[in-house]
Amino acid sequence: MRRRSRTICLSLAFITIFLHLLLALTSLSIYHQPCDPPPPPRTDILRVLAHTSYTSVGVGRGPAEPPTDTLQRHFSNKDAKRGAKGHIQTLSDKGWSVKGGENASISLAGGVGHHDSNQAEPLESDLSKLEALFDHPLYNIPSPAVPEEDWLLKVKPKVKAIEKSSQMWVSASQEAYEDVQWTSDSNSHPPWLRFHLNISRWQLYLHRDPNMEPLTQQLATHRIVSAVQKSGGTQLKLVMSFPNYGQAMLKPMKQERDEETNYNLYYFSDFERHNAEIAAFHLDRILGYRRVPPVAGRLVDVVKEIKDITTDRKLARTFFTSPVGNVCFYGQCSYYCSTEHAVCGRPRHLEASLAVMLPDLSLASRRTWRSPWRRSYSRSKLAKLVDKGSLVIEEPVCWMIISNMDRHHYETFEKFGNNTFLLHLDNGRAFGRHSKDEPSILAPLEQCCRIRRSTWLRLRLLSLPQYRLSDVMRASLFSDPLHRVAPLLSEPHLAALNRRLKTVLETLIRCQKQQKGDGGGEEVFYDDIADLKDLVVPPE
């Protein structure tokens, strides 16, 4: 019995040891299984970048390149037309290249969202439409030379020796800013200064302006040496400075591109969107207005390009690290400046729009006009509209298409008095909802029924299939650096552009019928085109 009991005990011991070993091996194999979540969709590259330490982002055409401090130079219209097909095939075949840090490098294989080889041909077609649109005679109407008094700023032809010391640009930090030797020759000027000197009575910049590409490249890539919060306004905005003394207005990403505004919110409680600022600039250029200051998208390092260089103590005190390790800040403003509405990097890189600053008010003062059709900014009181108005006629066309109801004041350059254009500033509350239009935006146009003939013809042109507004807008936005992260406007937003353009045209047709009934149909369009014989007028 004693021997049998010993045998049973030994057998149980061996079985126990065997089971422990088996359990250990099973646990070890499970431990080595990857615990990372499945890779995200390629349409949201930011979520990939959020888990990677890097200093810059670029889109490569081939194998990963050495680290660089700038985004890849974006396409001009002609370059985009020539290189779109090959560029998209590269994205599909070889993937994205993300470079940064000393050793960080990511190569994402496969296509990115709609940037695949199947979409190469449609995009190339859109780029061809955009190029054809800008080549159309309606966008190249000959204009007389600009009189000297119609330039906003002038360069002194000669500076006396005794004045040179006062004309020198002096920096508080010689390490941060470049030593500049500017002369009356425009080739010696940085892009932002050339932009300022080319502002005239009728537009901010020229059609096909050769300075536009280096200017937007500066906004997207140049080193930032200062960041302070802009005073005033209802939401967070920063003023960024560059080594060549240029400055830009930064608006950070507040919500996802596909996220619509809550329909329970009043328009004056809506977030300001960085992609709306970018898209408004491109649409303004497509409409032929050229009244929105140039804007470019950028991925900003919240730590290196804001926190570490800011001299704004109030701003610096609002930085914190979120529970998931993202660097956040909220600044000080009237709306949405709190820890509950903080702006956060992923983990430290933040999408933003950068708009070039207009000339300082000490050089070019601006006049503010109260809108005759100003909306109420109260939850309980209605606004009183005027009976007549002549200052604002065409602007509602742009506001209707981008669906921006936040238009309470307008600005003009004081030097030009009433005989000038309105600046189209502050477009962050546009593109809030693609599923709903706001016809009341067109109240000024319906009431006055007056518009330039050139604008009427361009609107008709953009309604034609060969120049369809959504297609040329998609092509134009392709040139912005943030398009490499994700499309700046979703397809529903692009489709809404066509629908709203149709509403604008129908409104003007009703104006024509109404004026004809009153015996003055031709008064709807006032001729701003000297000679129509060389223009290809779109069919009715």
Side-chain angles (χ1 to χ4, degrees), residues 60 63 94 191 219 278 281 312 315 389 476 535:
K94 298 185 179 180
L219 296 172
I278 300 169
F281 161 63
D312 189 332
L315 175 64
S476 185
L535 297 181

Side-chain angles (χ1 to χ4, degrees), residues 153-157 169 178 180-198 211 214-215 218 222 244-246:
L153 301 175
K154 299 178 183 178
V155 178
K156 289 184 178 181
W169 287 73
E178 300 171 351
V180 292
Q181 298 294 331
W182 300 339
T183 67
S184 59
D185 183 3
S186 62
N187 293 325
S188 68
H189 302 159
W192 66 266
L193 183 55
R194 290 199 295 268
F195 166 67
H196 286 181
L197 293 174
N198 283 329
N211 185 52
L215 179 60
Q218 171 186 298
H222 279 207
N244 62 5
Y245 295 90

